[in-house]
Amino acid sequence: MATDDNTARALPDDAHQAQAQVAGTLDWVGMDGIQAPLMIADADGQTQRVAARIDAHVNLHRPEARGIHMSRLYLLVEQALTAEPLAPCMLRKLLNGFLETHADLSDRARLRIRFEHLLRRSALKSEHSGWRSYPVTVTATMCDGEIDVELAVDVVYSSTCPASASLSRQLIQQQFAKDFADGEALDRAVIMDWLGSAQGMVATPHAQRSTATLRLRMAPAFGFALESIIDRVEDALGTPVQTAVKREDEQAFALANGQNLMFCEDAARRIQAALNADERIADFAVRVAHHESLHPHDAVAHASKGVREGYRADAFDD
């Protein structure tokens, strides 16, 4: 009677044994959307487990080979992501594993990991807090023993249009001139009541939820530092979207928007300056999109660090 080992050896392996129907090299072969848990270490060293989707690829540089070993990629991903937190060194080991198990077929490997990074955010004024979710994509590519790692993250914030604010102030001035005749004695209490009425705010500037998309390459000596990078960008903008909101928090948010009026160009430059000042970031590209409430199209601006042969204006075209 055949043993299990003998049965396994008897199973046909077309991908390994058969010739390609049409010869040719392939840039990438693998799997997209592998579902797996991922361990993320926060700024305090605590580890959280999140759901991730992983794309795992190698090239196929032997034109006559029928295919790669998909199951080997899957098992390596499953083992690596459950064994240690996400870090550049972990990605290097995993990509090395891809190539070692495909030594006769491949000389390049690529991994893309998508997940939602959860951060606890305190309210602006009240004692409450809530969770914010930041979409993150980590892409790592290995070729000739060198690894290139890119970190991409979306940061959502509020933007209030400076031009709209100026036009609104003009309308409020006009309403004031209409309600209080020139030369009329002004009573402080009356003015205070007027300012607190609908007449005192006859117009308001338009504001909208906005998104900053970052593509980052970290300097070799540093890890990902996701939380601190997000904090740096949100601090530069001054108006990150909120979680738990009581009335005092909403008022503080209105104040933050009033003190941080910005066009998309302003937002892009604020982020550019903040990232330029961070020694951990070797290169970056930024795309900000203000999802306008005034019209049905977005106002956008792009910025980069300006590294030679680094990111350029077309960094988000793909």
Side-chain angles (χ1 to χ4, degrees):
M1 182 170 147
T3 66
D4 289 343
D5 285 345
N6 289 333
T7 301
R9 282 195 292 271
L11 293 175
D13 184 0
D14 252 24
H16 182 64
Q17 297 167 353
Q19 291 278 323
Q21 294 176 349
V22 178
T25 61
L26 298 175
D27 294 334
W28 297 115
V29 186
M31 291 168 285
D32 286 355
I34 299 171
Q35 301 174 36
L38 175 69
M39 290 190 293
I40 303 293
D42 62 23
D44 299 324
Q46 300 298 312
T47 301
Q48 60 173 283
R49 194 178 295 272
V50 300
R53 290 187 179 271
I54 299 97
D55 304 338
H57 307 132
V58 292
N59 69 327
L60 184 55
H61 66 64
R62 278 182 50 196
E64 78 284 358
R66 183 72 179 274
I68 68 163
H69 307 285
M70 298 273 187
S71 62
R72 296 180 186 178
L73 298 184
Y74 181 92
L75 292 173
L76 286 167
V77 167
E78 205 280 333
Q79 293 163 8
L81 267 61
T82 56
E84 57 184 299
L86 178 67
C89 58
M90 181 268 270
L91 295 175
R92 177 178 286 277
K93 286 189 291 185
L94 181 52
L95 291 175
N96 271 326
F98 284 6
L99 294 178
E100 287 170 0
T101 57
H102 289 77
D104 58 335
L105 299 172
S106 308
D107 57 12
R108 290 187 292 119
R110 181 175 69 178
L111 187 75
R112 180 171 289 125
I113 304 173
R114 298 180 180 88
F115 62 96
E116 298 284 329
H117 189 49
L118 282 169
L119 292 177
R120 191 89 182 171
R121 294 312 207 188
S122 298
L124 291 173
K125 285 290 185 181
S126 71
E127 74 282 5
H128 300 289
S129 64
W131 290 100
R132 281 280 292 111
S133 178
Y134 298 84
V136 175
T137 301
V138 176
T139 304
T141 306
M142 178 169 282
C143 181
D144 296 328
E146 296 295 323
I147 186 170
D148 177 78
V149 181
E150 177 187 279
L151 171 67
V153 60
D154 287 353
V155 177
V156 181
Y157 61 101
S158 175
S159 61
T160 301
C161 177
S164 183
S166 179
L167 294 168
S168 298
R169 288 192 297 269
Q170 183 185 56
L171 289 173
I172 293 171
Q173 288 175 321
Q174 291 174 357
Q175 187 65 45
F176 182 88
K178 179 180 177 181
D179 291 349
F180 298 93
D182 188 26
E184 177 184 345
L186 300 180
D187 182 270
R188 185 176 187 275
V190 173
I191 298 300
M192 288 292 290
D193 288 342
W194 184 88
L195 288 172
S197 70
Q199 292 292 94
M201 191 174 286
V202 69
T204 59
H206 74 80
Q208 52 273 320
R209 193 179 301 168
S210 304
T211 305
T213 300
L214 317 177
R215 292 179 65 174
L216 312 170
R217 285 196 174 95
M218 307 303 294
F222 299 99
F224 292 134
L226 261 174
E227 185 171 346
S228 61
I229 290 171
I230 292 170
D231 287 345
R232 178 179 283 269
V233 170
E234 289 188 340
D235 288 345
L237 293 166
T239 55
V241 295
Q242 301 297 298
T243 57
V245 176
K246 302 290 284 184
R247 280 179 295 176
E248 59 265 40
D249 303 313
E250 187 167 0
Q251 186 178 62
F253 188 65
L255 179 63
N257 274 267
Q259 294 178 337
N260 289 280
L261 304 174
M262 53 186 153
F263 296 119
C264 62
E265 297 94 331
D266 300 314
R269 286 173 175 142
R270 287 188 182 197
I271 297 171
Q272 183 184 48
L275 298 182
N276 270 330
D278 194 327
E279 65 174 352
R280 299 169 300 178
I281 300 172
D283 194 12
F284 65 81
V286 178
R287 178 185 185 272
V288 301
H290 289 187
H291 312 298
E292 298 282 342
S293 60
L294 177 63
H295 38 64
H297 51 269
D298 296 343
V300 302
H302 293 238
S304 63
K305 189 174 180 67
V307 174
R308 185 177 181 181
E309 298 183 358
Y311 289 119
R312 286 296 179 266
D314 60 354
F316 296 92
D317 289 353
D318 55 357

